[in-house]
Amino acid sequence: MSAIADALASGGTYLKWEHPGTSYTGIITDVTMRQSRKYESTDLDTWEDGTAKMQVVLTLATDYRDSGEDDDGTRMVSINLWSGQKKALVAACKAAGVFEPTVGQRFTATHVAGIGNAKAPRVFEYTLLAGPTGVAAVLDVEPTAAPTPAGATPVDTAKQLLALGMSTQEVATASGLPETVVAALANLTAPF
């Protein structure tokens, strides 16, 4: 993202963590990295050596609405990359079989404990489902595979499933090919 796009995207409605047990789910529409801000300040936060404290910011399409006609349900969640939040995100990615959160995945954040200060930082649990993307994700439906002709090879099947928007992990499972082979096929069949 360009510096201008970053500046324009910096506003937004963040999820509200009122008490442990609060949970939000949505489809990821954007993933960015940003320098965090100091607690209760607009100043950028750094480590003692001047290195920026970074966080992942996920933008989610949710069903949550505040009072107001302009609320489209878009919410943002920031995940610190120096705390238990990072560990929780890594655990969610591992459980989903992905390296990082990406657009189109279903993401759930649950406030497990803490009140959000230095003595009792908030503890979160994240769930990431690397499922359907695009229209299928928004409509909450699983894409269906087109029937393959008799005698189709696993590579042919994989190409058809990739064209339907299925993830490389799903295609690997359905076609029987290793995920690395499916990823290579995805790169070959990507539009230019």
Side-chain angles (χ1 to χ4, degrees):
M1 199 182 290
S2 73
I4 294 172
D6 270 341
L8 294 174
S10 63
T13 303
Y14 280 83
L15 295 175
K16 296 175 180 145
W17 304 107
E18 297 174 3
H19 54 80
T22 304
S23 187
Y24 295 97
T25 298
I27 302 299
I28 299 172
T29 61
D30 189 43
V31 180
T32 58
M33 290 278 294
R34 293 192 189 148
Q35 186 172 357
S36 67
R37 303 255 177 212
K38 291 182 180 178
Y39 185 68
E40 294 185 350
S41 171
T42 58
D43 297 337
L44 294 173
D45 203 1
T46 60
W47 296 103
E48 287 182 16
D49 68 358
T51 306
K53 285 187 173 183
M54 299 301 290
Q55 58 187 193
V56 173
V57 179
L58 301 178
T59 304
L60 307 174
T62 73
D63 293 330
Y64 309 107
R65 304 289 187 273
D66 290 330
S67 59
E69 294 178 22
D70 293 338
D71 188 351
D72 64 357
T74 299
R75 296 292 185 272
M76 297 165 61
V77 59
S78 58
I79 301 168
N80 297 331
L81 294 180
W82 66 86
S83 66
Q85 293 177 21
K86 177 182 178 180
K87 291 177 185 173
L89 182 60
V90 168
C93 289
K94 283 183 180 179
V98 298
F99 293 107
E100 62 187 4
T102 58
V103 171
Q105 295 171 333
R106 182 178 305 279
F107 180 82
T108 300
T110 303
H111 178 194
V112 177
I115 58 173
N117 63 28
K119 292 182 181 179
R122 287 188 183 106
V123 176
F124 292 95
E125 180 177 283
Y126 303 123
T127 305
L128 189 62
L129 298 177
T133 60
V135 174
V138 173
L139 298 176
D140 196 24
V141 297
E142 292 289 333
T144 55
T148 57
T153 67
V155 170
D156 294 332
T157 301
K159 287 180 181 178
Q160 288 180 348
L161 297 176
L162 286 167
L164 291 171
M166 293 178 72
S167 73
T168 55
Q169 185 178 20
E170 293 169 321
V171 173
T173 300
S175 67
L177 293 171
E179 192 169 354
T180 54
V181 172
V182 174
L185 287 171
N187 289 333
L188 291 174
T189 59
F192 294 97

